[in-house]
Amino acid sequence: MNFFDWNFAWEILPRLLDASLKTIGITIAGFSIAIVLGLFLAVARRSRHRWLSWPMTGLIEFIRSTPLLIQVYFLFFVLPNYGFNLSALQAGIIGIALHYACYTAEVYRAGLDAVPRAQWEAVTALNMKPLNAYRKVILPQALRPILPALGNYMISMLKDTPVLSAITVVEIMQRAKNIGSEHFRYLEPITMVGLFFLILSLGLAWFVRRLENRMELAR
């Protein structure tokens, strides 16, 4: 028996590529939700109203302090007992999006806190509406320094998608394990999955660096 069977690797490649589309889709959907929800959580946590900032702080710290696996288990196995029925894919996307939204919220908060005080005073003096102030003045300045951190969390989310196999989401890692159990060969499928994550992670890192450079040039 060859150490690495290339014929077997080519044979299973289409099945892995098919599952990889679900992995990529989960990452795109989850991160799209996370970066939007994370911004709202950050703004709510920075609110001067304690009735809003304290519950948001508690929610963020609770989710950041508990494992993603427990959170997706709760969404998929516990919530149906209370009438909230979600498919495995829906529970997985919601779970991973909410988990990373709380991390991105802290990144946003750091970026917003780094905006010079004079800028906040300027938008107040100009009597700008909060939405316009954030969109035109505050966020453009806050996003530049936090872009690398957001990119890191996007890559981390991609690498965390195999956790969702615990609630029967058949992403690329689960497909590799299924193939391995069918043929009693794990080397090829697991190696190919590792290469998939490596290549995609490097591609995302390159994309984030390019975006960061473009934002620097636009200053």
Side-chain angles (χ1 to χ4, degrees):
M1 181 181 294
N2 296 328
F3 178 70
F4 190 94
D5 190 338
W6 287 100
N7 291 329
F8 179 57
W10 284 110
E11 179 185 338
I12 64 176
L13 181 60
R15 295 178 63 186
L16 291 175
L17 289 177
D18 178 65
S20 71
L21 296 178
K22 182 171 287 187
T23 297
I24 294 171
I26 291 170
T27 304
I28 293 173
F31 194 72
S32 298
I33 297 171
I35 58 174
V36 175
L37 180 59
L39 177 59
F40 283 105
L41 290 174
V43 172
R45 181 168 185 173
R46 296 182 76 259
S47 173
R48 296 179 180 178
H49 303 290
R50 293 182 178 180
W51 60 266
L52 179 60
S53 63
W54 285 14
M56 289 301 103
T57 300
L59 175 66
I60 291 170
E61 295 304 324
F62 174 78
I63 291 179
R64 291 175 67 224
S65 302
T66 53
L68 173 60
L69 181 60
I70 292 177
Q71 293 164 15
V72 295
Y73 260 68
F74 184 87
L75 289 171
F76 187 63
F77 293 112
V78 177
L79 285 187
N81 296 328
Y82 300 94
F84 297 96
N85 294 301
L86 299 171
S87 68
L89 184 60
Q90 290 171 337
I93 292 175
I94 292 172
I96 203 168
L98 182 58
H99 186 80
Y100 275 92
C102 292
Y103 282 97
T104 58
E106 291 301 283
V107 174
Y108 279 123
R109 187 166 68 92
L112 293 171
D113 288 345
V115 175
R117 184 179 180 85
Q119 299 296 312
W120 295 96
E121 293 175 347
V123 297
T124 302
L126 292 172
N127 198 29
M128 295 182 68
K129 294 181 179 180
L131 182 60
N132 287 333
Y134 271 98
R135 184 168 59 89
K136 295 181 179 180
V137 180
I138 303 301
L139 281 180
Q141 298 180 65
L143 283 177
R144 291 189 186 100
I146 67 173
L147 188 60
L150 291 177
N152 287 339
Y153 281 127
M154 179 169 59
I155 295 171
S156 295
M157 178 182 286
L158 169 70
K159 294 186 291 185
D160 270 349
T161 53
V163 172
L164 306 186
S165 64
I167 58 170
T168 71
V169 175
V170 184
E171 40 65 62
I172 191 170
M173 188 63 191
Q174 182 62 36
R175 179 63 56 80
K177 290 190 291 185
N178 291 344
I179 292 172
S181 63
E182 292 170 7
H183 298 273
F184 301 101
R185 283 196 68 97
Y186 287 91
L187 175 63
E188 292 81 5
I190 298 301
T191 300
M192 293 170 72
V193 169
L195 289 173
F196 164 80
F197 280 110
L198 175 63
I199 293 169
L200 202 56
S201 295
L202 291 175
L204 289 174
W206 174 84
F207 172 76
V208 171
R209 285 196 299 271
R210 287 292 301 272
L211 186 59
E212 185 180 359
N213 291 335
R214 290 191 64 177
M215 292 186 72
E216 286 296 327
L217 291 173
R219 294 181 64 175

